[in-house]
Amino acid sequence: MNQPFLSFCAIVKNEKHNLPRCLTSVKPYVDEMIVVDTGSEDKTPEIAREQGANVFSFEWCDDFAAARNYAVSQASGEWILTLDADEKLIVEAENWRDILATNSQALVYSLDLINVGENCSQLGGKLQRIFRNSPEIRYRGRLHEQLIYQGHAITGDRRLYLDRVKILHYGYSNPAFTQHKARERNIPLLERMREEEGLSLPNLYCLASLCQDVGETEKAELYYGEVFENLLPHILTGQPPDELVRVATMLHFFASQALKQEDYETSRMFCQRGLEWFPDFPPLIALAGDILMQLGFYLGAVPYFENCLQLDREGNYYKRDPFSVSYLQTYPAYRLGCAYMNLQRWQEAKKYLELALSFDANYTLAQQLLEQTNGFLQEKR
């Protein structure tokens, strides 16, 4: 019997509502499906078997990497595809598996993750979801686990991007469940990790963000303070952290907070470093424009917002961190309208405010400014 070419691996728990959609999406493209159950109390294992998956059990030990590595150890394919149960595979070119078969250098492929659900407009970033089945490639990290090769992160020409396959993520479609998962699982696990072994910078920032999301503001401020103290030496020296996961997002967060407090020196410093390290990350580019706007340099802000719109047209921007699609469309168009209004260049203001509304017809601030702009244009006639 020939060796399977592509194995699907997933770890699950109580996913009877999500799992059928996930397995149905991958089934036409894989040669075997491995589902590892970590303690379901519903019919998740039965559903997996009905879909044709090989089901295994794993005793949960507060370690996502351990569970994923166990799932990978059950796979016999040359390549492995991983999804979470609340995700769905979207294939845009039926011959995408040929790329895996013909590229001898690549170890892992990153796929675009797209968050879906009501009022969800966040781009999910690029995630490593297809990789060679090799004992030297395994997961590391109890939460937000990452693939490593021979003990190190996979970079360079060993890590490529596959644009013919995407992942739809439905996890944010139920905010109540998302908050429950944060309170009951992720926050306690991250806090145990912090006490027992310390947290990586991305996980520390995640802990702060989760606490803020569930209303634990005192904890959030404490953890954000730790992130800031860890980042500051890198900002001062210009040497980026070794691990860049979510660093662009962190820099945008702290620069934005400083700008709200009119701490222009801190805001400028974090934004400047961010643009040095991530020159094509739209939220940081827009923030640079915001800083100039707040300082009254309206004309100087224009190129930054135009750059965001240009990146959207080209589709060539930093995708490893998630961010709102509004930073590519609605927001820079609206801010260009604001800039030109302050410059009393009413026709250009009208043009960009209308552009903002073409992206989001219900954007109230753009509607209000467009009415004002139209009023000024009528007075000039």
Side-chain angles (χ1 to χ4, degrees):
M1 180 181 291
N2 292 330
Q3 178 186 4
F5 178 69
L6 182 60
S7 300
F8 171 72
C9 292
I11 59 172
V12 299
K13 181 180 179 180
N14 295 333
E15 292 286 2
K16 68 177 182 179
H17 297 297
N18 286 318
L19 192 57
R21 177 183 58 214
C22 175
L23 295 181
T24 299
S25 74
V26 304
K27 195 172 183 178
Y29 306 103
V30 301
D31 302 299
E32 67 174 356
M33 296 191 295
I34 307 294
V35 172
V36 170
D37 186 81
T38 62
S40 291
E41 298 167 343
D42 61 11
K43 294 185 177 181
T44 294
E46 290 87 342
I47 291 170
R49 290 189 185 96
E50 290 171 2
Q51 292 274 351
N54 298 318
V55 179
F56 300 85
S57 296
F58 181 83
E59 185 175 350
W60 182 244
C61 57
D62 276 355
D63 191 328
F64 279 88
R68 291 201 188 278
N69 287 335
Y70 176 75
V72 168
S73 72
Q74 307 305 315
S76 55
E78 298 175 45
W79 286 85
I80 292 173
L81 164 70
T82 65
L83 295 183
D84 291 334
D86 60 358
E87 296 172 345
K88 176 181 177 180
L89 193 72
I90 298 295
V91 173
E92 297 179 347
E94 294 295 326
N95 65 341
W96 63 275
R97 291 183 14 150
D98 296 343
I99 297 174
L100 309 183
T102 57
N103 194 321
S104 60
Q105 295 299 317
L107 296 177
V108 62
Y109 284 90
S110 297
L111 310 180
D112 283 328
L113 180 77
I114 303 169
N115 292 310
V116 297
E118 187 176 357
N119 299 321
C120 186
S121 61
Q122 191 175 61
L123 301 172
K126 289 194 296 189
L127 302 180
Q128 300 178 53
R129 294 302 188 87
I130 299 176
F131 56 95
R132 289 187 185 276
N133 189 359
S134 164
E136 296 181 297
I137 301 176
R138 284 296 183 264
Y139 285 96
R140 180 172 63 190
R142 289 167 63 183
L143 184 66
H144 301 135
E145 59 284 1
Q146 300 292 318
L147 283 170
I148 58 170
Y149 173 63
Q150 296 180 341
H152 301 284
I154 304 172
T155 58
D157 60 3
R158 294 296 184 94
R159 171 178 174 165
L160 300 180
Y161 169 57
L162 185 60
D163 64 354
R164 303 183 185 188
V165 182
K166 293 179 172 54
I167 302 169
L168 297 186
H169 175 230
Y170 293 85
Y172 295 130
S173 58
N174 187 342
F177 177 74
T178 301
Q179 288 216 347
H180 173 78
K181 185 169 66 173
R183 288 182 185 278
E184 300 300 320
R185 188 192 73 186
N186 290 0
I187 290 175
L189 175 54
L190 284 166
E191 288 183 328
R192 287 195 295 274
M193 291 168 59
R194 177 174 172 267
E195 292 299 320
E196 295 168 5
E197 63 202 52
L199 290 176
S200 66
L201 197 56
N203 275 338
L204 185 59
Y205 180 76
C206 176
L207 177 57
S209 302
L210 289 175
C211 288
Q212 184 180 53
D213 290 343
V214 302
E216 297 184 9
T217 54
E218 289 187 7
K219 281 186 176 181
E221 289 177 6
L222 170 66
Y223 299 140
Y224 277 131
E226 292 183 15
V227 176
F228 185 91
E229 293 302 318
N230 276 277
L231 268 180
L232 188 58
H234 296 283
I235 299 299
L236 295 175
T237 64
Q239 181 64 38
D242 293 334
E243 190 174 3
L244 293 178
V245 176
R246 297 293 186 271
V247 170
T249 299
M250 297 177 210
L251 296 175
H252 178 259
F253 172 80
F254 289 115
S256 298
Q257 294 299 109
L259 184 59
K260 290 177 184 176
Q261 298 164 10
E262 298 185 357
D263 180 355
Y264 298 115
E265 182 177 4
T266 301
S267 182
R268 182 201 59 79
M269 183 169 58
F270 272 74
C271 188
Q272 180 178 323
R273 286 299 186 212
L275 290 176
E276 289 176 11
W277 300 340
F278 311 97
D280 52 356
F281 187 54
L284 282 170
I285 298 169
L287 183 61
D290 285 336
I291 294 171
L292 291 170
M293 289 278 287
Q294 198 156 319
L295 293 170
F297 300 114
Y298 306 115
L299 197 58
V302 165
Y304 290 96
F305 299 125
E306 288 180 337
N307 190 7
C308 291
L309 296 174
Q310 181 66 26
L311 288 174
D312 181 47
R313 289 191 292 269
E314 296 174 350
N316 188 24
Y317 47 84
Y318 187 78
K319 297 180 180 179
R320 292 190 177 177
D321 279 16
F323 65 91
S324 171
V325 70
S326 64
Y327 283 111
L328 288 166
Q329 300 174 351
T330 311
Y331 188 72
Y334 165 71
R335 293 299 277 164
L336 281 165
C338 294
Y340 283 118
M341 280 191 73
N342 280 285
L343 293 166
Q344 298 185 10
R345 292 163 59 169
W346 309 115
Q347 288 289 355
E348 287 156 299
K350 175 182 171 69
K351 167 187 169 183
Y352 284 108
L353 292 170
E354 288 177 342
L355 179 61
L357 290 170
S358 74
F359 294 127
D360 181 0
N362 297 315
Y363 194 24
T364 305
L365 292 174
Q367 291 172 343
Q368 294 171 347
L369 287 190
L370 183 59
E371 290 177 5
Q372 294 180 30
T373 301
N374 286 332
F376 284 120
L377 286 170
Q378 289 176 359
E379 289 177 7
K380 290 181 63 177
R381 291 175 182 171

